[in-house]
Amino acid sequence: MSGSYLMLRDTWIYQDLKREAQKEIQQSYVEQQQQMLLAIVQARFPRIEGLIRHLIKDTNELELLQTLIIEVGGARLEKDARQSISQIATKYSHG
């Protein structure tokens, strides 16, 4: 790396722009995960779509979304999906 680039990396403006870019990338990934979860729910258990939408509407937690994708995607029956959602919601609402 050139010396000017290394100097630029130490500036507050560079750090601020880098932070903003990282937040935008994170938000984009969260939105992708939300869409994937909703697609799974709509295809397999459309009756619980409202429940899922309510649960994820204000979340930026990738771990929550990924857990829901795995659990709902792997559920055999709607009642299994509902049970998993309930357990996950309880876990994430209590920290």
Side-chain angles (χ1 to χ4, degrees):
M1 286 186 205
S2 75
S4 352
Y5 177 73
L6 292 174
M7 285 177 37
L8 178 63
R9 284 181 36 192
D10 292 334
T11 64
W12 67 270
I13 191 79
Y14 178 89
Q15 295 300 320
D16 194 45
L17 290 171
K18 181 178 173 184
R19 224 178 345 269
E20 284 300 313
Q22 288 171 335
K23 283 197 300 191
E24 288 177 17
I25 291 167
Q26 172 84 4
Q27 185 58 39
S28 174
Y29 192 59
V30 164
E31 290 169 7
Q32 290 172 1
Q33 296 293 297
Q34 289 173 333
Q35 292 305 312
M36 183 185 310
L37 176 59
L38 288 171
I40 292 168
V41 169
Q42 290 164 350
R44 302 205 54 222
F45 311 113
R47 293 183 342 170
I48 65 170
E49 182 179 347
L51 176 63
I52 288 291
R53 284 187 183 276
H54 178 73
L55 184 60
I56 67 171
K57 71 177 177 176
D58 294 324
T59 191
N60 285 323
E61 292 188 46
L62 283 173
E63 184 181 346
L64 168 63
L65 294 167
Q66 291 167 346
T67 301
L68 286 167
I69 288 168
I70 291 166
E71 293 299 321
V72 173
R76 288 183 30 193
L77 304 170
E78 182 181 311
K79 78 174 192 172
D80 299 332
R82 285 182 184 273
Q83 184 176 8
S84 292
I85 292 165
S86 177
Q87 291 171 347
I88 292 165
T90 299
K91 176 185 173 191
Y92 280 87
S93 66
H94 292 105

